[in-house]
Amino acid sequence: AATAAGLPGAVAAAAAAATRGSATCEAAMLRGEGGGGCDGKDDAMQSGTPLRRSLSASLAAAAATGRAAGGGGGREGGPAAQRATVDAKVLEVPEELLRALVTWRDPEPDLGRPSQSPSGHGAGAGAASEAELAEATEEVRRRHECPVCSEVMLRPRRLSCKHHACARCLEKLVESGLKDCPSCSTAVNLKASQPPADDLVESLAARRCICLACGGFEGTLDELKVHLIGCGAALGVMTLKLYRGAEEADGERRARSAAADAARTEALRLDMAGASPTLVHRFPAHAVSEVEGYWSTPPFTAYGRVFSLRMGPVGSAGAAAGTRYFCLVPHGHQERLRCSLYFARRPGDGYKERRVHDWPKELEGHPWGPTVRPDELKQFEQADGSLLLMVHAAGLGAEGEEEDAAADTVAGVSAIISTPR
């Protein structure tokens, strides 16, 4: 889950262990504890936690790599080595997590622009200067904001029409099939975006922001990333965001799996209906697991008579626990239906037939049907716990009664014929 969320290796390696205490960490932050976690003394994020230890080890290795790139001299190896060392200490936080940790100050206006207002003296000139300052600030703010999501661009990309947008927003526009610049609606190739303009990069790099987790830091975005390494409150927020993201991803995965299972089960039900049965019914999972009461199918007609199929628990204790009955119930008549119940296994695994051909004549007008043990019932449960069953009718009365009746009729006729007059 950590890898899927895009968390850097240092955090991903320790996130699973850290999330075990996420509920405690969340409660602490909601109470306001750990808000000053930047001093490293809070209980939720002490320097000995797996997350902090893993980050420290990773950063030490990264700093060593940066010093080596500069000739092994560290800060004494020249500006290139110093830059490599500083860059190695910048925690690369996924964009979604970073946005949850930063709030932006108003940008500095570009005072290098030529003034468009008439020069003047006194109060009028001061008012004009303030208006110009506000306008210049708003212009920079607009340049920093993505025209799609209206947030400060963390990964800006430049289009052929010279406008900029977030890399993630451009990806979404491409996925949706759009082909126009979101700023000017000019037809452009959104896939062929270029690196941002240098002046925009410099302006964004100079814009100041605040650590939203602890509230005790203000600086540039790169300085904030360095600050996050030792900010216990920020590490707690990142861990919680990762944990919740993993839960959401797992929920979406389960929902997709459930939808796929439901589609397969519905396809199985339609396939059963195509076999022209007397009845196809799906018993919901909650009805299968209930320990009291019963579940009945809608009434159905067979051989001109109305029946329903009723399911319920045989008992809740002892050997009968979990066993369920499936009884045919006659409505408004005394006929007994001779049929087969077909229980569907998972799609592709076939069916199990239970014959109901022995309904005794002395129980005509009363429910009759088989019982199914819990271990056998498990074989018939679909992915969502429901049961699929179909009824194929074969006639009325118990098996053999028609033959017996016919034999009795033949015997009676023979007796009449053979009787002397």
Side-chain angles (χ1 to χ4, degrees), residues 123-163:
S129 298
E130 289 180 4
E132 280 190 342
L133 185 62
E135 182 181 350
T137 301
E138 183 60 27
E139 181 181 343
V140 176
R141 183 184 291 108
R142 286 195 299 268
R143 288 191 63 212
H144 288 180
E145 289 180 356
C146 170
V148 179
C149 65
S150 300
E151 296 184 8
V152 174
M153 294 180 286
L154 298 181
R155 290 189 302 138
R157 299 290 294 176
R158 181 175 55 176
L159 300 175
S160 57
C161 58
K162 307 305 181 183
H163 291 119

Side-chain angles (χ1 to χ4, degrees), residues 265 268-269 272 281-282 342-344 382 386-389:
T265 304
L268 175 60
R269 189 192 68 79
M272 294 167 68
H281 189 72
R282 184 175 186 174
Y342 288 89
F343 293 87
Q382 300 301 312
S386 64
L387 292 181
L388 269 177
L389 176 148

